[in-house]
Amino acid sequence: MMVLVITACPAGLRGDLTKWVMEISPGVFVGRPTARIRDILWDRTVELCKDGRALLVYSTDSEQGMEFKTHRHDWVPTDFDGLSLMVRPASAGKRDRFGNGRRSEWAKARFKKQRR
């Protein structure tokens, strides 16, 4: 099984992909091509995508059961002891105690006492 998600890519690429896989939503393609065809589709996607982004998820015989490929995507697949996880880049804003780019201003909120 293969899922390919493209964003901001030319319409001609969508036409090429629909020859081999089904478009179930704009920019989301699903199918079961062979590994050779999948690699050809990915190479074609990277070639034609230019300023767009692409994300490919496909099933494999690994412990996790799938692998990822990305092109010009903010999130990067990273190997953690044999487990592939998508790592997001840290934002330039404030970080919480775990190093995430979340804002923790809710903890600094002060409440006024109600008068009775």
Side-chain angles (χ1 to χ4, degrees), residues 31-55:
R32 288 188 83 117
T34 63
R36 185 174 78 78
I37 298 297
R38 181 191 65 227
D39 291 339
I40 291 170
L41 290 176
W42 177 248
D43 292 341
R44 183 87 170 141
T45 300
V46 170
E47 177 187 332
L48 293 177
C49 210
K50 297 185 182 177
D51 294 333
R53 298 186 313 179
L55 173 68

Side-chain angles (χ1 to χ4, degrees), residues 9 12 17 24 30 33 36-38 47 51-52 56 62 65 67 76 81 86-87 91 94-95 98 100 106 108-109:
C9 294
L17 292 173
I24 60 170
V30 178
R36 185 174 78 78
I37 298 297
R38 181 191 65 227
E47 177 187 332
D51 294 333
L56 175 68
S62 65
E67 286 191 29
V76 180
D81 295 329
M86 296 298 283
V87 176
S91 65
K94 295 182 180 180
R95 302 187 194 297
F98 301 110
N100 296 326
W106 62 270
K108 297 177 184 177

